[in-house]
Amino acid sequence: MIQKPKGTYDVFGDYGKKVLYLEMLFQSLMEKYNYEFIRTPIFEATDLFHRGVGETTDIVSKETYDFLDRGERKMTLRPEGTAGVVRSFIENKMYTNSSMPVKTWYYGPMFRYERPQAGRYREFYQMGVEAFGTSDPLMDAEVISIAVNFYKLLGLKDVKVRINSLGDSESRSNYRDALLAYFKQHLDKLCSDCKERYNKNPLRILDCKVDHDLDIMHNAPKISDYLSNEAIDHFEKVKDYLDNSGISYIVDDNLVRGLDYYTNTVFEVEADIPGFGANSVLSAGGRYDHLVENIGGPSTPGVGFALGMERLINVLEASSINLNIENGIDLYVIPMNDIVKSYAFDVTNKLRMSGFKVEMDYMNRNLKSNFKQADRLNSHFVAIIGEDEMANDYITIKNNITKEEDKIDTAYLVNYLDEKLLQEDCTCGDDCDCNHDHDCGCEHH
Ligand code: HAM
């Protein structure tokens, strides 16, 4: 049998419900923050990622899915969302938009040829944001707050925010010199990748997963000692904004991130759960004030982050957090025989169009197994339609919770269901007959 490619997975059943719920929750949070939805192609010209993400990053040098299309053009499945959004920002001249900042959010699959393991896939989904047009540290704080608030809304408590500043070009250049001088004495102890990084991008040595635990890594010069006054000021303001809105964080000097485009603030949100290892990084991002320019647009600052959907679901499961997913349907329709099927189908469709969640029997089950099926589907009501019902235009309807049975004229079915579902949804207390002239807190008020 042909199987799914390594590092990919199928979404169905309960997992599918979780995915849809999380998408919806993120979308509604984005509305509150006034971000606009953006969707860019899943493949882009290879060159975009070389210029955007960076030649020396693992993502571009080892992990991209590259292919030649039938017109011999070099294409790449996007390994991340930022480069594509920046390309779109430039190509659609969003920078001429007088209502800066331009705040965008996205959701979709990303592709990296990584070694698959728990929480690491070759096709994975990111939700993310990119905000353009301001270098104000307030926007860095806003972006960090989105990540933190999303996890908060979900009830995730064990998360930790790590932040750092990579400074501006001047800070980075001074720091680069310091790292070159330092690692020169230790080159023989570094892995082969790091030896290459030494020549191309020494900052990335600090991000090495192989050499991570070596003493020389811990004793390496710290970027904080090389930040310019402007970069220090920017970082202090970001921290101030976070402090004042009660968002706690840890400053981590060794946080450099695996993509080349960052300037000033970088951050990662990590699950603080034992045993989650490298996959505990739930989301990550930072500021990229030169990326728009590097990809060919006018100099425009930007900041953003992305979160991994799979790791989020893993961590929700590990924390035993149940999502508020509605299960069950309003009504299950049982046609008693072939003659009434078409009538039952019509009733079912009309109820669906009136806003009810309705399922019917397509399997010609007998009455007993149809009732079992209604239980399996967690149906509130069961409608039985026989020849007498069809001839006289009524439905026999059974409340699966109270076990009451009624015979209802089809013309009143919508009203009947509306009223019953409202009554039973009402949570305001025993005395209420739910005439709905007061705000009892149930979902209909
Ligand atoms: P990133 O750190 O490469 O950043 O990825 C962000 C998140 O995507 C990670 O924290 C992780 O949750 C998830 N992720 C990454 N790789 C995988 C994988 N192989 N399997 C499952 N999940 C994964 C970026 O992609 C940047 N574009 C973020 C950003 C946006 N920076 C500024 N704006």
Side-chain angles (χ1 to χ4, degrees):
M1 221 219 49
I2 298 172
Q3 296 188 328
K4 62 182 181 303
K6 201 171 159 190
T8 66
Y9 65 99
D10 299 314
V11 172
F12 55 92
D14 282 346
Y15 196 93
K17 286 184 187 151
K18 287 183 190 173
V19 164
L20 288 181
Y21 177 85
L22 293 169
E23 271 175 47
M24 210 184 57
L25 193 71
F26 194 71
Q27 178 181 342
S28 85
L29 185 65
M30 288 296 79
E31 279 164 15
K32 314 250 156 51
Y33 274 91
N34 195 33
Y35 279 61
E36 280 187 12
F37 182 64
I38 184 165
R39 186 161 64 201
T40 60
I42 281 170
F43 61 94
E44 298 265 6
T46 299
D47 195 38
L48 172 67
F49 301 110
H50 284 254
R51 279 210 261 164
V53 178
E55 305 271 6
T56 59
T57 60
D58 283 354
I59 295 174
V60 163
S61 62
K62 298 183 193 158
E63 296 171 1
T64 49
Y65 279 87
D66 302 316
F67 62 98
L68 278 183
D69 72 7
R70 287 174 196 269
E72 304 280 304
R73 298 172 198 90
K74 282 187 183 166
M75 295 289 163
T76 295
L77 295 184
R78 63 183 182 195
E80 57 99 55
T82 312
V85 172
V86 170
R87 196 255 326 122
S88 173
F89 174 81
I90 300 167
E91 196 168 336
N92 294 299
K93 298 195 171 47
M94 293 183 211
Y95 48 81
T96 57
N97 195 335
S98 52
S99 60
M100 285 284 197
V102 172
K103 304 203 293 184
T104 61
W105 76 275
Y106 54 90
Y107 171 60
M110 309 293 160
F111 304 85
R112 294 184 193 174
Y113 194 81
E114 292 197 86
R115 201 153 53 82
Q117 49 181 285
R120 180 164 294 152
Y121 297 88
R122 289 183 174 172
E123 182 191 35
F124 59 99
Y125 277 73
Q126 281 187 346
M127 296 194 271
V129 311
E130 311 297 346
F132 301 95
T134 176
S135 51
D136 195 308
L138 192 59
M139 195 54 91
D140 309 36
E142 171 166 302
V143 165
I144 296 172
S145 82
I146 294 173
V148 170
N149 284 337
F150 186 57
Y151 298 127
K152 200 170 176 179
L153 279 177
L154 288 164
L156 261 183
K157 292 200 178 67
D158 303 320
V159 294
K160 179 164 87 180
V161 181
R162 293 185 297 122
I163 60 173
N164 193 18
S165 173
L166 301 181
D168 46 30
S169 316
E170 184 197 333
S171 324
R172 290 266 285 263
S173 150
N174 292 340
Y175 185 47
R176 189 175 186 277
D177 292 346
L179 285 179
L180 286 175
Y182 174 78
F183 280 119
K184 193 171 184 182
Q185 325 146 43
H186 303 291
L187 264 184
D188 52 326
K189 298 185 198 90
L190 295 176
C191 73
S192 55
D193 278 348
C194 278
K195 287 192 177 104
E196 208 174 303
R197 286 175 187 135
Y198 178 84
N199 294 315
K200 290 185 176 160
N201 187 353
L203 207 70
R204 294 291 328 286
I205 297 176
L206 298 173
D207 195 42
C208 179
K209 287 163 197 135
V210 178
D211 294 338
H212 182 261
D213 292 327
L214 295 181
D215 277 347
I216 48 167
M217 298 295 254
H218 299 300
N219 300 330
K222 305 285 179 220
I223 180 79
S224 47
D225 295 330
Y226 295 86
L227 293 181
S228 65
N229 288 339
E230 247 185 317
I232 292 174
D233 186 49
H234 185 99
F235 197 35
E236 286 307 313
K237 283 188 175 137
V238 174
K239 289 189 282 182
D240 267 0
Y241 293 133
L242 295 177
D243 288 337
N244 287 329
S245 53
I247 295 172
S248 40
Y249 56 84
I250 299 157
V251 175
D252 178 352
D253 268 336
N254 275 338
L255 181 66
V256 292
R257 306 271 305 118
L259 304 96
D260 279 352
Y261 46 64
Y262 294 111
T263 48
N264 282 314
T265 319
V266 286
F267 74 97
E268 289 187 349
V269 183
E270 205 176 273
D272 206 2
I273 298 179
F276 259 67
N279 298 320
S280 60
V281 182
L282 298 180
S283 54
R287 177 163 278 289
Y288 46 84
D289 286 348
H290 304 303
L291 184 57
V292 176
E293 212 174 336
N294 289 346
I295 293 183
S299 167
T300 311
V303 55
F305 90 101
L307 68 87
M309 178 69 104
E310 298 77 10
R311 293 186 192 180
L312 173 59
I313 294 181
N314 282 352
V315 86
L316 287 169
E317 281 168 5
S319 318
S320 305
I321 291 177
N322 287 321
L323 302 177
N324 189 15
I325 294 171
E326 257 186 57
N327 263 319
I329 57 172
D330 297 322
L331 181 75
Y332 182 72
V333 176
I334 307 175
M336 292 297 282
N337 58 37
D338 241 29
I339 301 167
V340 300
K341 236 187 217 169
S342 173
Y343 176 77
F345 179 60
D346 185 43
V347 171
T348 301
N349 282 340
K350 284 191 174 125
L351 288 174
R352 286 173 175 157
M353 292 309 287
S354 302
F356 298 101
K357 285 199 248 173
V358 188
E359 183 55 296
M360 71 179 285
D361 173 35
Y362 308 93
M363 306 298 292
N364 303 311
R365 291 185 165 93
N366 65 30
L367 196 60
K368 192 170 163 203
S369 41
N370 257 328
F371 268 98
K372 273 199 189 141
Q373 178 66 359
D375 288 344
R376 263 196 295 271
L377 293 173
N378 202 7
S379 186
H380 203 128
F381 291 94
V382 181
I384 300 151
I385 302 182
E387 286 173 58
D388 191 53
E389 278 87 348
M390 184 171 80
N392 298 299
D393 250 335
Y394 72 92
I395 307 287
T396 302
I397 195 156
K398 189 168 171 185
N399 188 323
N400 226 358
I401 295 161
T402 63
K403 305 296 175 202
E404 277 171 301
E405 201 174 292
D406 280 316
K407 295 201 184 304
I408 306 296
D409 193 308
T410 340
Y412 295 112
L413 198 53
V414 167
N415 283 353
Y416 174 87
L417 286 174
D418 254 343
E419 206 170 287
K420 291 282 179 190
L421 288 168
L422 280 178
Q423 267 178 19
E424 285 168 29
D425 279 355
C426 185
T427 52
C428 64
D430 294 338
D431 294 338
C432 177
D433 58 0
C434 207
N435 55 10
H436 297 278
D437 55 2
H438 67 289
D439 184 356
C440 64
C442 81
E443 65 175 26
H444 305 288
H445 285 123

